[in-house]
Amino acid sequence: MSDAFDQWVEWRSKPPGDRRSIPAELYAAVTSLPETDRSNRQRVNEVVRRHDTARVSFGLQY
């Protein structure tokens, strides 16, 4: 099973015209990181976990 980092890298590396997508929550969490941290597996997975936890804590639904 792939983690958030794998999903991000696969989506980011897709060729032009490829219509694969990632969940909006994953995109929002990862793009909140500085560009340099977006290639760090630990930072990406951490921010996605925090984003998911905050969303559940505040009862937000996407």
Side-chain angles (χ1 to χ4, degrees):
M1 180 166 178
S2 63
D3 60 8
F5 179 80
D6 289 334
Q7 292 175 56
W8 169 253
V9 170
E10 182 179 327
W11 177 81
R12 194 164 185 197
S13 315
K14 67 186 174 116
D18 187 323
R19 298 184 58 99
R20 274 181 284 182
S21 64
I22 57 175
E25 298 87 6
L26 189 144
Y27 179 85
V30 176
T31 57
S32 73
L33 289 170
E35 185 73 32
T36 54
D37 286 347
R38 296 176 192 175
S39 59
N40 180 308
R41 179 180 299 273
Q42 183 177 350
R43 293 286 295 136
V44 167
N45 288 328
E46 177 183 304
V47 76
V48 170
R49 269 192 304 276
R50 274 200 326 261
H51 187 269
D52 286 347
T53 301
R55 192 169 54 93
V56 170
S57 295
F58 292 108
L60 301 175
Q61 301 264 329
Y62 292 99

